[in-house]
Amino acid sequence: MFAVHLLAFHFTKLKEDQIKKVDRYLYHMRLSDDVLLDVMARFQAEMVKGLGRDTNPTATVKMLPSFVRSLPDGTEKGDFLAVDLGGSQFRAHWVKVFDDGKQSSQLESKFYPTPKELIQGNGAELFDYVADCLLDFMETKNLKHKKLPLGFTFSFPCKQTKLEEGFLLAGTKHFKVRGVQDTDVVSLLRKALQKHKDIDVDVLALVNDTVGTMMTCGYDDQRCEVGLIIGTGTNACYMEEMRHIDLVEGDEGRMCINTEWGAFGDDGALDDLRTEFDRELDLGSLNPGKQLFEKMISSLYLGELVRLILLKMTKEGLLFNGKVSTALLTKGKIEMKHVSAMEKYKEGLSNTKEILTELNLFPSEEDCIAVQHVCTIVSFRSANLCAAALAAILTRLRENKKLLRMRTTVGIDGGLYKTHPQYAKRLHKVVRRLVPNCDVRFLLSVSGSGKGAAMVTAVAHRLAAQRKQIDAALAQFLLSLETLREVKNKMRTELEYGLKRETQASATVKMLPTYVCGTPDGTEKGKFLALDLGGTNFRVLLVKIRSGRRRSVQMYNKIFAIPLEIMQGTGEELFDHIVQCIADFLEYMGIKGARLPLGFTFSFPCRQASIDKGTLVGWTKGFKATDCEGEDVVDMLREAIRRRNEFDLDIVAVVNDTVGTMMTCGYEDPNCEIGLIAGTGSNVCYMEDMKNIEIVEGNEGKMCINTEWGGFGDNGCIDNIRTKYDKEVDEGSLNPGKQRYEKMTSGMYLGEIVRQILIDLTKQGLLFRGQISESLRKRGIFETKFLSQIESDRLALLQVRRILQQLGLDSTCEDSIIVKEVCGAVSKRAAQLCGAGLAAIAEKKRENRGVERLQITVGVDGTLYKLHPHFSRVLRETVKELAPQCDVTFMLSEDGSGKGAALITAVAKRLHNVGQK
Ligand code: ADP
Ligand code: MG
């Protein structure tokens, strides 16, 4: 008993001694977490270098764009072919992808040998051979009659310029084919395929095997965004943000980057970690000085590393009694499969003993223990280094997404990872330790790169089909110059109808006289009250105007909410509420006793008979109070004041907001004779010659006309450009059939048009995975301010997704690109239509004056104009294009509705006083 114990003790001691000896000998290969974190940081820096335009040429990690922008989303379908060149064998595949909601696919493959003379021969012959094999494959599978898209997996570094074009950079591994470098390998394959007249194959994609692996795994797990190969070679790819990829145009979305990380360290960046064995191995390789990282990791080299270590140890007398065998001196004698076998710890030392014996090394028990441990250190270092670089990629992904914690999946393929008994487990463990804030799932790619190439092709196929559908939907929003001219001409016609006595009653553009006949002359002064009703807010203002040398305008205002039940209640309630607000304001300003002149900005179509009389033609925008249409709004206000019986006001003028805007700007610039509002609603006023206004007596001078152009098109004259989305928005509005032009151009409706398009695209399966969420069903959820935010050039797609998230819309990266396009199409059309209308007005003014060129200023107000990132520019460009003889200056109005109302009141008061005298 005692003896057995002693023996066991003796053996343990012996084992420990051997392990210690090897550990000491190879301490340089045992990498601590600190070192690995350092490697990770170096790799991160190298990735940045590879992505930068100026730094890429000298970067060792080439970060090659793959032009793969999307992962499978499960809606792919069809039959695809793939060929796979680059591994140890050449393969042809036929993949059937079913759109059955279960993401199923079927794969049939055939292997073909790649004879050595071809791999080291001439390129044309190799591609002819590939084409021949494919023909054979199609014959066996009875596919010759079909026109099939093909994905080409080619696992050598290629500089891609498109998904279906890539120039071979430099041979790695054993690829020594002549006449292929710097040539587009897709065109080589196409040329070879064209020699076979009886098949019709369309090469759609060139795919690196890492990318193929990611796509294959991505089909089963939507989270997969990294592809990793650890086999004969090693490499990784991942989804990078386009805005970080300098070498490819465009900032939107993501693209898969093939890192080609095997070359990491080729500039000496890893020299402090490389051992004498690494150097020796490199010197004896086919490509000295190249692929230094790969040489520390991939299965092609690990066996050789072990051999070099054993040789040195033996020479130093640390193994095999110092006796070197011929086998041990022979390059390539120890292969990866030997290392894997020796590391099968469950089988004790038997494998090791057998392998060493075969090498004529006559190992002792101690030798076997030591050699097994050498293998472990070498393969563990491989897993460690691989983990460090992978951790760098994962960290980059997480930071790109601005997440504190990230869940993601890494798709993996490669013999070393798959067959080595410990490798996978070690790799997972180290990665999780290095990036504790990433929950990583490692997914083994089952059918490898061939299926991946088919998946890339399938995705490309799906995207092309989707693109067509989206383009078709948005094409309805593209207006040609010709169409815009037509809109301008129609607007001109409608303007004339509105001015003429016989057509005026039925005109859709009502051309309402405002009885504002002049712009301010600077002599206006005094204190005025102003009301502003008709926009998002109701406001009461006190305006102090000074004239002369101390000319200035001072304003105090207070905003009051108008609750929906009042906006859509009775007229009496609405006006009582307004008077209540005025009372609050007078109280607040301490001027309750003063009987101040008041200007009432009432931004709805009003038929006026004088400056202080206005009959409401009809509510627009969000208002719908009863018993108001056809009534005089000044009377209604006066009655409400009387009902309250608390104070009195001198109501001098009813003012449309467009007129207020024009007047405000006119106060600064006498050339301002047009007022434009692009806010909740859309409207324009301008100074018209009295002689053209048939419904108002007199032919002298000018009068401001409130066009109420929002009603343009209510007779169907622009129905040719209205889309089904416009019709849906109209039908869901408070005033169906009315204000058709306004509904295509103003803030109240643009978001709603976008929502209708999004619903339609979702129904077609082009967005949000075809799922119409509860929130997307809600009318008004998509406000126009979101268009401004989404279309902002400074906003990354991630932020677009965040906005959509707030709206309860769960979007992918592709979704957010499409949503942005939709917003752009809708707002651009709005600005162009508005510009066409404005061009008609400017042209009319030019003709009125009878001049060759017109200089004119437009006073503008409205949040859509002021805050949308592109609206104002497109509007200006359109006017310039459609009214080339007019030099139109745009002037932003500061608070037109308040200041303008006061100015109009002042002018009216002055004229009134003059009249009384
Ligand atoms: P009014 O109601 O008097 O027209 P505004 O000119 O402020 O007032 O316009 C308000 C409208 O502008 C809102 O109803 C909304 O449709 C739109 N809007 C609000 N914020 C934005 C924004 N950031 N970009 C574009 N439009 C906006
Ligand atoms: Mg307004």
Side-chain angles (χ1 to χ4, degrees), residues 479-495 509 709 712-713 717-722 741 744-745 829-841 878 882:
L479 303 178
S480 67
L481 203 57
E482 212 32 64
T483 309
L484 287 171
R485 274 203 196 101
E486 214 173 276
V487 171
K488 179 187 79 169
N489 295 339
K490 284 178 181 165
M491 175 66 89
R492 176 62 190 265
T493 308
E494 300 296 314
L495 296 175
V509 179
W709 78 3
F712 176 48
C717 73
I718 50 170
D719 276 3
N720 60 322
I721 56 169
R722 286 173 78 225
Y741 182 65
M744 297 165 92
T745 53
R829 185 190 65 161
Q832 287 181 326
L833 285 177
C834 195
L838 198 57
I841 304 263
T878 310
L882 298 185

Side-chain angles (χ1 to χ4, degrees), residues 586-627:
L586 296 177
E587 185 89 46
Y588 169 77
M589 297 297 296
I591 48 171
K592 215 160 187 180
R595 186 171 183 273
L596 294 174
L598 177 138
F600 183 12
T601 299
F602 184 75
S603 310
F604 300 96
C606 277
R607 205 170 288 287
Q608 292 188 249
S610 65
I611 191 139
D612 62 347
K613 280 194 194 346
T615 308
L616 176 61
V617 177
W619 289 117
T620 57
K621 298 176 270 190
F623 282 74
K624 212 181 174 162
T626 55
D627 311 319

Side-chain angles (χ1 to χ4, degrees), residues 124 128 131 190-198:
D128 281 344
R190 278 191 183 138
K191 234 175 265 164
L193 284 169
Q194 272 158 14
K195 293 183 189 161
H196 300 286
K197 298 286 173 235
D198 47 345

Side-chain angles (χ1 to χ4, degrees), residues 516-535:
V516 169
C517 298
T519 41
D521 64 4
T523 64
E524 298 73 16
K525 60 172 189 244
K527 277 189 199 169
F528 305 89
L529 276 181
L531 304 181
D532 178 12
L533 180 75

